[in-house]
Amino acid sequence: PKPLLRALRLASPGHVIARTTLKRSRLRRGLTMLLQAYGVVPENAEQATADRMLERFGQLDAHAWARTLEALAEHDASPVLGSITTRTLVIAGDSDPFTPLSQAQQMARNLRHSETMIVRGGGHYLPVDFPDLLNLRIERFFHDVGIC
């Protein structure tokens, strides 16, 4: 989306607005809110965490990142999912703007031996937002499949 690309360009390190925005808390908060609306920054991120993410996103090439997002949107692994015979754990948030729940559920249906964990209120940053919950579930999965 164009507003997202504009926000990323504004956050790029060489941009004069980036230097000003990241120094002014009100402007920084506005940029954070815009990126949260697009799921780039977790909604419940503390401002210090969001600031670190903004600095890292500011180091990205916005055009390259946009091309990557476009390629990801066109990517479809569904033709090979049925050939995967390994037990698989599909973890999804029900509020993920990048990977909608319906896609995760379809992926799980296409895998022969899959289990699904859906995190209510979870977005794209499940490991950041729900680290303990994910760690427990992954540990249990590993135990169930005999990895540990």
Side-chain angles (χ1 to χ4, degrees):
K2 288 183 182 181
L4 176 58
L5 292 177
R6 281 191 209 117
L8 289 172
R9 283 188 199 108
L10 293 178
S12 63
H15 201 291
V16 67
I17 294 177
R19 293 190 295 271
T20 304
T21 300
L22 294 177
K23 290 178 185 173
R24 293 187 182 170
S25 63
R26 199 170 109 219
L27 294 174
R28 193 174 61 234
R29 183 70 192 133
L31 182 57
T32 299
M33 289 171 58
L34 175 64
L35 294 175
Q36 285 173 329
Y38 284 101
V40 175
V41 174
E43 285 190 33
N44 64 345
E46 295 178 7
Q47 190 61 50
T49 301
D51 289 348
R52 285 192 303 276
M53 293 182 78
L54 287 175
E55 288 174 22
R56 289 184 184 134
F57 277 114
Q59 296 169 3
L60 296 174
D61 176 330
H63 293 289
W65 198 67
R67 287 191 306 271
T68 300
L69 289 178
E70 289 169 358
L72 286 171
E74 294 173 11
H75 176 72
D76 182 9
S78 57
V80 298
L81 294 178
S83 66
I84 297 172
T85 58
T86 306
R87 286 183 61 187
T88 308
L89 176 62
V90 176
I91 302 174
D94 66 358
S95 301
D96 186 341
F98 288 114
T99 309
L101 182 57
S102 60
Q103 285 183 341
Q105 291 170 324
Q106 183 63 43
M107 182 187 317
R109 282 191 295 274
N110 288 337
L111 290 162
R112 292 181 188 197
H113 306 286
S114 71
E115 298 177 36
T116 305
M117 175 186 181
I118 298 170
V119 180
R120 290 181 190 235
H124 196 66
Y125 294 94
L126 293 174
V128 173
D129 297 335
F130 300 93
D132 296 334
L133 178 66
L134 262 59
N135 285 336
L136 287 172
R137 182 60 184 99
I138 292 168
E139 284 178 17
R140 190 175 100 210
F141 179 77
F142 284 170
H143 181 267
D144 291 349
V145 299
I147 293 176
C148 56

